[in-house]
């Protein structure tokens, strides 16, 4: 879309498209620098191994230090191999015959409706023939009411084992389509998601197509800075996964993917042996001879971890799952994998151990300052030059290979930030115990603005680094048994410690930043500049979420506590989207409104506009949701048992009793299945509004 994208102040998405192929000249430069960095690193490590190992007491520090450097060299080689070729995937030649049938599965557990509704609305609005099922492991009456009112199918299960994997496996036993598209509750797909991904399945041995995870809450803890698309996972999703595609090792990331049901059933369904069911399932598919593809275009947007607590919970779960895979299906020994696939999986799993190297390299100069023992048998200035040149080459190579998706300072900062979660996750490899599956908090995470707690690991590390500097100053003054002068054996480790301490302090400040305190809103709030009316009085939106809006009203306005009717004019819909609301507060002419009641289809139209999913889909004939009685405390009352006729009229589903339908009228007419022809008709009926 055009005008509405600007009006709602969404991220521009200038880098969302499939990256253009790199020119031959640029590719030559990138690869030449990468090879130079690897050769320089190999030469340095050879020098270190053959000429600089200390003797005597310094050996106890020299050997671990050299081991950390060798690990870093191996990580560099694996990164270069992974990112050597990140050109776009080739789409297979179409085959004659009908397109494969698709069921869209939206897995949910406890996400707030303000998070879930945009996803369901967008899934229903996707182009192409498909069904949309919402898999609710929370057995929530309000979810069933919303889902059936919008025209999707509600699916629940009696046994809630194996968390998300079990939820998907339950649905897999029920679907009758060739493919399933899987979305997490917070990931809102574009209308073109299916039309972009389904062509890959012309390859009969293709099991899955994965697309990037991208996020619309750019003020999250993971983002470089507010309003900028770059986030902590950008390098993985826009570069590393693209490289894995060419190694045949691109893997499912849990959401924003399409999978072949036959392939899933052949390997026993979604893996339940680990917390990272997506990664583990892909490895089983590859071992069984199925292929995967990575379509490097942003076609869905979700909620990034907004707070440090959510970030750490998510990373611990992923890391523990990776360790479980390492125990159950070690890619180095598991049969059925090609050599490049083994290296691809090894790189993914070994990355979780990088934090131990980061921690070790932070403590080596501290040990030098506290003991006076230098771990390298070479003049400090010579060591600094020999180590510094490969390091600089590595940084240039990493910058070029990451294709602009990983600014160096941002990457180094998050190496420190990730320490607590990665250390805890990798310890689970030796401290047995599977850990519990925990859903990453999305939306409201607290009632008050409370700053996040800093993990003890970072506080202790900062104290140790700062303490070593104070100890060194005391030693230079002659107040300790260790004698430090102002030569290289002191200045080199001091510079090292100061640099590391700077990143640790920056990480602590980021964690404590009030911007990343507990989220009090249930849904994301979009800055907006759309025309509106409040009880017939002209107004203009300031911002909007699915829970309410801030509106600047002309004239006297409404009093606090008053019930009002808010009409919002969206660019791709002929009529206003109308909501009932209550004025919660106001400052001058700015009114803070809270939506009231269950206005599902109006909210669907609003979310479709906000996310660029096409509000024309929601201009179709209305279905009036039936008001449902609230269930007794602690007891779930299925909507179908309250009013099965109305539910069956809204959606045909094997989970709703096929009772006689009421006479069809304007309030009960089912939503017609969306087709490209219907979408064009609806868009034309909307008076030529902005297109997508």
């Amino acid at each position: 879309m055009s005008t509405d994208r600007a009006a709602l102040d969404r991220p521009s998405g200038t880098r969302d498209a499939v990256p253009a192929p790199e020119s031959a000249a640029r590719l030559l430069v990138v690869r030449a620098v990468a090879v130079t960095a690897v050769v320089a690193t190999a030469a340095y490590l050879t020098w270190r191994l053959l000429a600089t190992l200390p003797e005597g007491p310094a050996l106890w520090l020299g050997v671990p230090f050299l081991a950390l450097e060798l690990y870093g060299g191996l990580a560099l080689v694996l990164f270069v191999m992974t990112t050597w070729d990140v050109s776009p995937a080739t789409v297979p030649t179409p085959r004659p015959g009908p397109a494969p049938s698709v069921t869209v599965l939206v897995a949910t557990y406890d996400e707030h409706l303000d998070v879930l509704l945009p996803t369901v609305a967008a899934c229903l609005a996707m182009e192409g023939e498909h069904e949309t099922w919402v898999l609710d492991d929370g057995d929530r009456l309000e979810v069933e009411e919303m889902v059936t009112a919008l025209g999707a199918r509600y699916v629940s299960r009696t046994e809630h084992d194996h968390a998300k994997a079990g939820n998907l496996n339950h649905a897999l036993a029920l679907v009758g389509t060739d493919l399933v598209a899987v979305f997490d509750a917070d990931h809102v797909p574009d209308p073109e998601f299916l039309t972009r991904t389904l062509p890959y399945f012309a390859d009969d041995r293709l099991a899955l197509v994965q697309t990037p995870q991208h996020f619309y809450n750019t003020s999250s803890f993971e983002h470089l800075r507010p309003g900028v698309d770059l986030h902590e996972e950008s390098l993985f999703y826009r570069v590393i996964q693209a490289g894995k595609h060419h190694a045949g090792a691109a893997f499912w990331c849990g959401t924003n993917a399409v999978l072949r049901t036959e392939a899933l059933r052949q390997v026993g369904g979604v893996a339940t042996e680990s917390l990272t069911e997506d990664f583990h399932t892909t490895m089983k598919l590859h071992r069984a001879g199925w292929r995967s593809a990575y379509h490097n275009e942003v076609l869905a947007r979700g909620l990034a971890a907004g707070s440090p607590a959510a970030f750490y919970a998510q990373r611990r779960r992923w890391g523990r799952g990776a360790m479980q895979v390492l125990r159950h299906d070690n890619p180095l020994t598991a049969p059925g994998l090609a050599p490049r696939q083994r290296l691809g999986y090894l790189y993914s799993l070994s990355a979780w151990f990088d934090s131990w190297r980061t921690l070790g390299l932070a403590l080596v100069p501290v040990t030098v300052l506290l003991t006076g023992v230098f771990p390298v048998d070479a003049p400090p200035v010579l060591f600094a030059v020999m180590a510094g040149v490969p390091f600089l080459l590595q940084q240039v190579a990493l910058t070029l290979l990451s294709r602009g998706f990983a600014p160096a300072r941002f990457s180094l900062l998050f190496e420190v930030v990730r320490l607590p979660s990665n250390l805890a996750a990798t310890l689970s490899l030796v401290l047995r115990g599977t850990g519990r599956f925990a859903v990453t908090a999305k939306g409201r995470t607290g009632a008050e603005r409370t700053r996040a707690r800093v993990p003890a690991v970072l506080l202790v590390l900062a104290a140790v680094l700062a303490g070593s500097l104070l100890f060194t100053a005391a030693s230079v003054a002659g107040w300790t048994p260790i004698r430090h002068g102002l030569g290289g054996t002191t200045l080199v480790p001091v510079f090292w410690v100061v640099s590391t301490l700077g990143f640790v302090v920056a990480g602590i400040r980021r964690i404590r930043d009030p911007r990343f305190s507990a989220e009090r809103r249930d849904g994301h709030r979009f800055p907006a500049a759309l025309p509106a009316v409040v009880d017939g009085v002209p107004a203009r939106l300031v911002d909007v979420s699915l829970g309410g809006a801030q509106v600047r009203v002309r004239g006297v306005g409404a009093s606090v506590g008053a019930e009002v009717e808010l009409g919002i004019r969206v660019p791709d819909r002929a009529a206003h989207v109308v909501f009932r609301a209550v004025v919660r507060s106001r400052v001058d002419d700015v009114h803070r409104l809270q939506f009231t009641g269950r206005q599902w289809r109006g909210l669907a139209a609003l979310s479709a506009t906000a996310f660029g999913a096409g509000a024309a889909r929601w201009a179709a004939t209305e279905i009036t949701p039936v008001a449902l009685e609230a269930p007794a405390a602690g007891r779930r009352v299925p909507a179908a048992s309250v009013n099965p006729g109305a539910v069956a009229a809204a959606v045909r589903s094997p989970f709703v009793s096929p009772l006689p339908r009421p006479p069809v009228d304007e309030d009960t007419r089912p939503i017609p299945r969306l087709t490209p022809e219907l979408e064009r008709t609806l868009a034309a009926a909307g008076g030529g509004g902005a297109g997508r």
Side-chain angles (χ1 to χ4, degrees), residues 101-107 116-136 146-155 171 175 177 179-184 187 189 194 617-618 650-655 673-674:
S101 53
V102 185
T103 300
V104 178
L105 305 178
V106 179
L116 179 61
L117 185 143
T119 301
V120 178
C123 286
L124 287 164
M126 285 193 296
E127 297 172 356
E129 295 282 339
H130 66 281
E131 299 179 14
T132 298
W133 293 12
V134 176
L135 317 179
D136 180 23
M146 179 195 76
V147 167
T148 54
L150 295 182
R153 297 189 178 188
Y154 179 87
V155 183
V175 297
T177 51
L179 308 174
V180 290
V182 180
F183 295 96
D184 283 349
H187 280 263
L194 294 178
R617 167 66 177 84
W618 303 105
V651 57
R652 291 177 299 164
S653 169
F655 309 99
R673 182 181 292 277
L674 185 68

Side-chain angles (χ1 to χ4, degrees), residues 255-444:
T255 185
N256 307 354
V258 185
L259 299 98
R260 193 184 296 272
T261 52
E262 176 192 355
L264 283 175
R265 287 168 178 154
Q266 182 183 326
V267 299
V270 179
T272 58
E273 300 91 338
S274 72
L275 296 176
T276 48
E277 69 286 331
D278 41 18
F279 180 87
H280 199 179
T281 299
T282 311
M283 197 163 79
K284 288 185 174 184
L285 291 168
H286 285 152
R287 289 177 56 191
W290 292 94
R291 289 188 284 272
S292 61
Y294 191 73
H295 182 73
N296 195 8
E297 178 183 17
V298 174
L299 293 171
R301 292 158 186 80
L303 280 169
S307 67
F311 175 85
Y312 283 128
Q314 186 181 68
R315 295 315 191 273
R316 283 194 298 270
R317 185 179 78 245
W318 292 350
R320 286 170 180 163
M323 297 306 103
Q324 290 165 0
V325 172
L326 200 55
R327 286 202 301 265
H328 292 295
D329 268 327
N330 192 316
L332 293 180
T333 58
L337 294 175
R340 290 191 70 189
Q341 288 176 323
R342 294 187 192 279
L343 287 175
Y345 281 111
L346 176 64
Y347 174 66
S348 296
L349 295 173
S350 66
W352 289 99
F353 296 93
D354 288 352
S355 289
W356 289 100
R357 175 175 174 268
T358 301
L359 180 62
L361 291 178
L363 295 179
V364 165
V366 171
T367 307
V368 172
L369 295 177
L370 296 181
T371 65
V373 174
F374 202 74
V376 181
D377 186 14
V381 175
L382 176 62
F383 165 71
V385 172
M386 293 294 290
V389 171
F391 176 78
L392 292 176
L393 284 171
Q394 289 167 15
Q395 295 308 305
V396 174
L398 294 174
T399 299
L400 292 174
L401 288 169
S402 51
R403 274 73 173 188
F405 284 100
R409 289 178 60 187
F410 187 61
S411 298
L412 291 171
L413 172 63
F414 265 87
E415 279 189 25
V416 172
V417 170
R418 285 192 297 265
L419 274 175
S421 55
N422 288 19
L423 296 178
T426 50
L427 281 174
S428 69
L429 185 63
V430 292
L431 303 177
R432 295 301 179 94
T434 61
R436 294 186 59 192
F437 183 92
V439 178
T440 304
K442 302 290 175 67
R444 180 187 293 267

